[in-house]
Amino acid sequence: MIYLIVAVVAIAGFLFGFDEGVIAGALHLLKSQFDIGPLAEGIMTSAVPFGAFFGALVGGRLAEPIGRRKLLVFAALLFTVGAALAAAAVSVQFLTAARLVLGIAIGIAGMVAPLYISESAPAQKRGMFVSVYQLAITLGILGAYMVGYLVSDSWRLMFGLGMVPALALLVGILILSDTPRWLALNNRRDEARATIARIHGVAPNAAVVTEELAEIARTADQASRGSGLSALLTPMVRPALIVGMGLFLLQQLSGINAVIYYAPQVFQLSGFGSVETQVLATVGVGVVNVAMTVVGMGLIDRIGRRRLLMIGFAGTAISLGMIAVASTIDSPALHYVALVGLALYIASFAVSLGPLPFVVMSEIFPLHVRGLGMSIASLSNWGFNFLIVLSFPVLVAAIGLAGVFTIYALICVIGFIFAVRMVPETKGLTLEAIEDHLRSGRSLRSLGRGSLAAAR
Ligand code: BGC
């Protein structure tokens, strides 16, 4: 059952990636059909993260009152409508509006889907399951890049194909129930029990179900009345907010979406002449992204969140630095350095910075503010995503690719320090154990770091 849940919810991740990545292949066609200036290009491209920002805001407000499942149904409908509108666009403004709708869908799905998986998965495999969501994002990006390569003459078909996974999500989510934790929180204990039993594949009166339900019910009962914005700022929750928002800020300012959305242009700036090789190299980015996400999934519950983050930030800082130096000294080998550097950069991101913010965000908030907390952390994701996507063309024009990559590299160095100092280790702990730790007044960063740090 858990596999079915993960598979259905992962379609939301696929759509997230597809609608992010599809613009890379479509942009040159759109530019030749419509009269698009650089600002209009930036606005149209960044309409997705801009819309997603509002989607995350709405998602956070509604995740508690209407539930995780209904929100995903709503997102699936928006994905379908958005894809149809984008395919039928008659002007750049129309397309920008359609991308805004898609963005809202992504923003909602982007926070509800990992929440849904996290609240349904057994603790030992939670990290891996939540990372399936990131894997689905990367598959969506790769799918979009391949569509860009294969139907290279029709941007309408590229956008329209997004309706297929959108409808699949709609059908899939209709057959699932809500998460056991949300059901318990809303005093629907019988349904919660039935769902836990289905997840474990046992009878509803099995001991494992009773135990898990008791644990969940205990935290649900503890959930203090206040679950509004002010509850996020209490000393117990504030550190989770800082870590959740901080990780997404750093994930985005590492520059990933300058590469994901504008990959062909990045390759062009790195000396790849023909459109064909640029688009092919872009597919290469998609492949490395998927492959290394799989590697990350294997590592996340073994070497832990914190160590994996350090590895990721070190790798992205070094690879970006490499490309920046090669293009500053105008190395004759720039072409190759850029190719190797970008592969290393995507690999380091995918194994670590890609999945980890989602995993950690879904773990560190106490139940009573989990939906809201994740939504605010997602706002940081989309706000900074928007900033990077909007600013990249302007920054490249002003300070060149080397300058922009230098800034991203420095941010990755800050990310490394953040991982060392602020990020807790949640590997193998149940969500309830994490919550108990916070309720006992101990600091978030001391979580999972052994007795030495816990004493601080
Ligand atoms: C990020 C996206 C990014 C993707 C790349 C995700 O974790 O949130 O913004 O495009 O990774 O794989």
Side-chain angles (χ1 to χ4, degrees), residues 60-413:
R61 286 264 140 220
L62 298 182
E64 310 302 345
I66 77 164
R68 288 62 165 133
R69 178 175 170 272
K70 280 198 193 135
L71 260 186
L72 271 181
V73 171
F74 180 55
L77 287 171
L78 283 183
F79 272 123
T80 314
V81 173
L85 289 176
V90 289
S91 66
V92 178
Q93 290 79 356
F94 194 121
L95 184 57
T96 305
R99 285 177 59 77
L100 206 61
V101 173
L102 285 170
I104 295 172
I106 297 184
I108 295 175
M111 65 130 315
V112 184
L115 174 65
Y116 200 105
I117 299 181
S118 168
E119 287 191 343
S120 306
Q124 287 68 24
K125 292 195 176 155
R126 193 180 52 242
M128 203 267 285
F129 280 138
V130 177
S131 333
V132 169
Y133 180 68
Q134 172 69 16
L135 177 65
I137 296 180
T138 60
L139 283 170
I141 293 172
L142 178 60
Y145 286 171
M146 300 224 320
V147 165
Y149 183 63
L150 296 173
V151 290
S152 54
D153 53 354
S154 169
W155 59 266
R156 288 190 194 281
L157 192 55
M158 291 181 198
F159 288 123
L161 281 171
M163 286 172 72
V164 177
L167 289 170
L169 175 65
L170 189 60
V171 172
I173 201 73
L174 286 175
I175 55 174
L176 299 181
S177 58
D178 216 302
T179 71
R181 287 176 174 82
W182 184 81
L183 292 168
L185 196 60
N186 286 275
N187 292 321
R188 290 161 62 175
R189 304 261 158 114
D190 290 344
E191 286 170 74
R193 175 180 285 279
T195 309
I196 298 172
R198 271 205 305 276
I199 289 172
H200 285 281
V202 295
N205 56 0
V208 55
V209 178
T210 308
E211 263 167 45
E212 194 168 320
L213 186 62
E215 266 296 276
I216 294 174
R218 189 172 58 79
T219 356
D221 286 339
Q222 273 177 10
S224 51
R225 260 97 259 136
S227 59
L229 271 181
S230 59
L232 282 177
L233 298 174
T234 59
M236 181 175 102
V237 185
R238 202 171 39 224
L241 193 65
I242 293 172
V243 170
M245 292 184 76
L247 282 178
F248 276 115
L249 176 150
L250 291 161
Q251 181 200 59
Q252 292 302 323
L253 297 191
S254 74
I256 185 64
N257 286 318
V259 180
I260 296 293
Y261 288 58
Y262 296 103
Q265 267 127 300
V266 171
F267 283 111
Q268 187 193 9
L269 291 166
S270 310
F272 287 74
S274 78
V275 173
E276 169 101 14
T277 51
Q278 289 159 20
V279 177
L280 204 59
T282 300
V283 175
V285 164
V287 172
V288 174
N289 199 14
V290 172
M292 289 309 286
T293 303
V294 176
V295 175
M297 284 165 62
L299 294 177
I300 209 159
D301 287 318
R302 263 190 262 159
I303 70 170
R305 286 61 166 150
R306 196 163 155 262
R307 228 172 336 143
L308 199 52
L309 261 182
M310 291 185 217
I311 295 171
F313 277 120
T316 47
I318 292 169
S319 49
L320 286 170
M322 230 166 83
I323 305 172
V325 170
S327 52
T328 308
I329 61 173
D330 211 5
S331 159
L334 174 61
H335 206 77
Y336 298 104
V337 177
L339 197 62
V340 174
L342 277 173
L344 188 65
Y345 169 71
I346 295 291
S348 310
F349 178 92
V351 83
S352 155
L353 273 66
L356 277 163
F358 289 103
V359 173
V360 174
M361 148 177 103
S362 74
E363 300 178 325
I364 56 180
F365 289 103
L367 179 65
H368 69 289
V369 284
R370 188 168 296 143
L372 187 64
M374 287 176 68
S375 134
I376 304 281
S378 304
L379 289 185
S380 159
N381 185 4
W382 293 111
F384 291 104
N385 183 325
F386 171 68
L387 199 73
I388 291 291
V389 174
L390 188 70
S391 65
F392 181 71
V394 184
L395 280 178
V396 167
I399 56 174
L401 192 66
V404 182
F405 276 15
T406 305
I407 298 175
Y408 297 157
L410 291 175
I411 290 166
C412 293
V413 173

